[in-house]
Amino acid sequence: MNKLVLVGFLVVVLMGVSVLGYQNCKEIDGNFFEWSIEGNVFKARAVLKGAAKGWGGIGFRSGLEYLEPVPVDAGRKNAYMDKSTIYIGFKDTYRKHYFQEYRGYDDAIPKLLNTNFVTLGYTRTSNLTNDLHIVMERPLEKPSNAPDGYFTFSSSDATTSLLIAKNTDASPNGIAGLDDMMRHTYAEIIKFNFFGSSSCSTQPPVLPAPQEVLPSNYFYEPTPSNPTGPGKKSSARSDISTNSSFFIAIILYVLSTFTFVYFLN
């Protein structure tokens, strides 16, 4: 086996890095959206910069009514999130990660669906960066049991748009999902051709490995700057984050030593 190939394989295995190949990429204000269409399956990953401590979301909609001007007779602008299917990712205090589906009807908080209709959906974050990653796969067509208005990918639909939103400060309280207290701090909607091709000049961040979920009795102590929320970890328990970093350093040391010895031989 080629030595460089062997070393690369060891890096991937030891670091738990998952390499996902997507055909297309779009960078939006430092955030990334990657996607591929393979047969009847839509695969995508979104990287929301700085959203690991809050939440991030992507959405798809059909119809460009939101681009129409506000009527001059005191009318109301058409909602950006109307007719949209939205996917939200976040983690809670104990590093449990959530992936949820929503239906957008107006520009209020979207409605949380009781069931996820994707065939694959998960969220990941990393201790080394503050990014939030959302990974999903779903059929191009609306699943038969999905609610009316669930987004359908169609190459003949020229009115599709991509929504991207995040809150870098406030995270939902577990399975209950979004509420009015954690509206987005950033949002963008752009007309988007999911069947077109696109590439990014900057390489998107690598998908991090799954994080260890903290035990429920692992509590946080408030800090003076944040007296009611999570702050420093209790000194009654070891800092798993620090231990993980130390473990990674050990792995890198062993890997570098192995590589050095291997090339000498």
Side-chain angles (χ1 to χ4, degrees), residues 22-212:
Y22 294 97
Q23 299 169 349
N24 305 286
C25 178
K26 179 72 174 179
E27 184 175 1
I28 307 169
D29 297 333
N31 307 290
F32 293 91
F33 178 69
E34 298 180 285
W35 79 100
S36 296
I37 295 178
E38 300 177 10
N40 190 43
V41 178
F42 182 85
K43 301 181 178 182
R45 176 175 75 118
V47 183
L48 292 307
K49 301 290 288 186
K53 296 180 180 179
W55 60 264
I58 54 173
F60 315 130
R61 67 159 288 168
S62 179
L64 300 176
E65 297 86 354
Y66 66 89
L67 294 176
E68 297 175 0
V70 179
V72 294
D73 55 346
R76 177 183 177 186
K77 184 174 178 60
N78 291 305
Y80 293 105
M81 293 194 300
D82 190 25
K83 304 179 183 178
S84 63
T85 301
I86 300 170
Y87 306 92
I88 300 294
F90 59 93
K91 67 176 178 180
D92 64 16
T93 302
Y94 303 104
R95 293 199 199 128
K96 182 177 180 181
H97 289 69
Y98 295 82
F99 175 95
Q100 297 178 332
E101 292 193 51
Y102 290 76
R103 176 77 169 89
Y105 295 95
D106 50 32
D107 283 339
I109 296 297
K111 180 181 178 181
L112 175 63
L113 301 181
N114 294 327
T115 302
N116 286 342
F117 297 96
V118 296
T119 53
L120 175 70
Y122 60 88
T123 304
R124 286 188 186 173
T125 58
S126 169
N127 288 336
L128 304 179
T129 70
N130 200 26
D131 302 334
L132 184 142
H133 300 245
I134 299 174
V135 177
M136 58 156 296
E137 295 181 11
R138 51 153 290 182
L140 294 178
E141 299 177 353
K142 170 185 171 294
S144 59
N145 58 337
D148 292 340
Y150 195 86
F151 184 80
T152 296
F153 293 94
S154 173
S155 58
S156 61
D157 187 352
T159 68
T160 53
S161 298
L162 170 69
L163 300 88
I164 183 169
K166 61 185 177 181
N167 184 315
T168 57
D169 303 314
S171 177
N173 184 22
I175 198 170
L178 298 178
D179 61 37
D180 283 328
M181 300 303 294
M182 54 194 65
R183 290 179 174 269
H184 56 72
T185 55
Y186 167 91
E188 186 62 74
I189 179 171
I190 57 175
K191 185 178 178 181
F192 205 85
N193 179 12
F194 296 99
F195 291 84
S197 59
S198 178
S199 60
C200 293
S201 58
T202 303
Q203 183 69 24
V206 174
L207 179 71
Q211 279 191 322
E212 179 182 6

